[in-house]
Amino acid sequence: MLLMGAVAYDPKVVTIWSRFREWLTARGLPFDFVLYSNYERQVEDLIEGRVHLAWNSPLAWVRARRLAGRRGPEVRPLLMRDTDRDLTSLIVVRDASPYTSVADLKGETVAVGALDSPQSALIPLSYLRGQGVVPGEDVSVRRFDVGVGLHGDDIGGERRAAAALAAGEVAAACLIDANHLLFARENVLPPGGTRVLAQTAPYDHCNMTVAGSAPAALVDRFAELLLSMSFADPEVRPLLELEGLKAWVEGRDTGYDALEAAVDEAGFYDASGRITADDYTP
Amino acid sequence: MSDRAYAVVDLGALGFEEGAHILLNRALARIPPGAELAVTGTDPALEVHLAVWCREAGHRWTPREHGATGPVRGRVTRGRADADRWAGAERAGGPGPGEVVRRPSPSWGLAARGALVEPGGPGLAADLDDRDIVWADLAPKLYAHAASAQWDPATAVAWDSEVSLPDEVEKAVVQVMTYLVENEQAALVVPARLLARVHPHFREVLQLLAVQAADEARHVEVFTRRALLRGGEMGTSSAGGRSSLASLLAEPDFSLASFLLSVLGEGSFLSLLSFLDRHAPDPVTRQVARLARQDEARHVAFGVAHLEHRAALDPHLRSRLRAAVERRHDALRDTAGLNADVFDALVILAAGAWTPQAIAEGHRRVRNLHAEMDEGRRRRLARLGFPPDEAAELSALHTRNFM
């Protein structure tokens, strides 16, 4: 039996993985999943060998890699969604504001999502540092801690950051690129009323992390089956749509450098994967 | 870069927050998967949003190279997702009634007839999914007629007409109305139940059944309103009458239910409503009977048309119809049939006075009504291909409750 962990950041996760399980077992793969309330416990269980695979956020991948180096066998990113590659974060300002570069934000307040959100806190704050604007010193950071422990999968914090920008409470908001468009469509942001002040370099998002101790034949079959899922197959298409992808692709570990750096800068985890962020209680 | 592009789309100042994807989709639809589309436009967020949109839509986005100039902001390589989604799609027949297919797929579900249906949707539990079981070529025409012939219970009847009948006559009217309401309620439930089982592909049949149910709903209303017009109480409901109606509701087969309800039951009611139109003692009762009769005539026409259609295809249909009549007769053998109060009320209305001679005349008229009902049933049975002796035999087996 191949056992996968997934974080229940939304009720639809139950539907998604129940249907995947049904589909996989119908193809002869003994597969089950365990739901977690937060990524930290999921990663710890992966490393302890209580699950073979974990559907990990990018931050959970970073921690899994660090923990594995210290405590257990290697981990690797087995698979990703096509939509997990080459995402960016944006620093957005109101269109009418005077800022033309991130340096102009000095002395102002920047809104971010939850402290453990790679896309709307860790990576964009690291970007600001890279541009010589130190969060907490050069700019104040207003954080919206919604769904802490879910690594930003709950976009409530990001939405509130955007709303704070729209309301004029902050000078800028940090968002993942897709949410900039989404929030305009939802009228959280006035359409056409904001401007992208800066965009980070592309990075990768979730991956299916496999522990080295997992049964290799089952893992191979799991990967083979998922990679075979075709958007043209009417039975599979609803599953892919629920999970937000058109195709599964091979995993890669080349898109996490920005997050690794951000984690170090923020003192979020230490080099061996211990949680070191003061105010982080998943 | 632009010389490699297959086509170009200019979005002008239009951004993705304002619907740029519509122009983009239009341009992408004109090139095959794998081909490139160069994108020009002036929206400052264009490149950011294009990348997001392409990622979500399954296309590949290549931004312009760093330092490159010119109007082209980047290129979209068309993905396969859209083509894949519609790869196995099929048309749900054609939109016109002449394009109805014999066996619509359950997976077409609630899709409009003639729509392009994406595969993979939920199946619809519509067990009446065979054209030959539910269809009648007359259905579209009957529906059009039914829709145009709807009337408003509030205004179609002159409710404020003078109605001052002697109490016993008024009581007879109320009894007949009470009986009619009971029967119309059965006639409402039967098509409504069938409606829920018919595949929506047979749209005109659904529409017709819906209007039929709506007709009956109006009849329930006007008969009730007439019964209560003088402020009295409703009449009686007999166990035998309700048994008869319950046996109608128990018939699951579309054609048999339609036969028992529309051809035999509502067919008999045409005679009853004509009788009331002739003999009712006040204008309101005459009017509600006449209005209901117009609708019932249409229901009978659909029932007959449908069964003619089926009989032409199914040589065994007649023996099944016969069996259904016999079954219902046997089930009701030990019940009292028509409510005795209703029978007497009809006699009183047809008598018009309380003299022995008038009552005898009323009684004769009700017997004539029975004969008219019988004759009408035999005529309709003959249209369905029953020889005269068999039609007479079956008509005689029809429930004494009329419906």
Side-chain angles (χ1 to χ4, degrees), chain A residues 85-109:
Chain A
R85 291 185 169 188
D86 300 327
L87 285 66
T88 62
S89 291
L90 309 176
I91 296 166
V92 179
V93 296
R94 286 183 302 282
D95 193 34
S97 66
Y99 317 113
T100 57
S101 76
V102 289
D104 297 339
L105 294 174
K106 284 185 178 173
E108 304 290 349
T109 303

Side-chain angles (χ1 to χ4, degrees), chain B residues 172-235:
Chain B
V173 171
V174 168
Q175 181 57 59
V176 172
M177 292 298 122
T178 305
Y179 162 79
L180 290 177
V181 168
E182 183 170 294
N183 281 266
E184 296 293 11
Q185 284 175 165
L188 190 165
V189 171
V190 171
R193 283 184 169 183
L194 293 172
L195 166 59
R197 294 170 49 206
V198 173
H199 195 300
H201 184 70
F202 306 113
R203 186 180 78 214
E204 292 80 358
V205 173
L206 249 66
Q207 289 168 316
L208 197 53
L209 289 169
V211 174
Q212 196 166 324
D215 288 341
E216 310 299 8
R218 279 202 317 273
H219 301 172
V220 167
E221 180 185 343
V222 294
F223 293 148
T224 304
R225 194 159 165 182
R226 169 58 194 94
L228 300 176
L229 195 60
R230 295 277 307 281
E233 296 179 314
M234 297 297 280

Side-chain angles (χ1 to χ4, degrees), chain A residues 77-80 85 207-208 227 249-253:
Chain A
L78 181 70
L79 297 164
M80 316 171 83
R85 291 185 169 188
N207 75 57
M208 184 67 73
L227 289 168
V249 296
E250 298 280 352
R252 66 181 188 189
D253 61 4

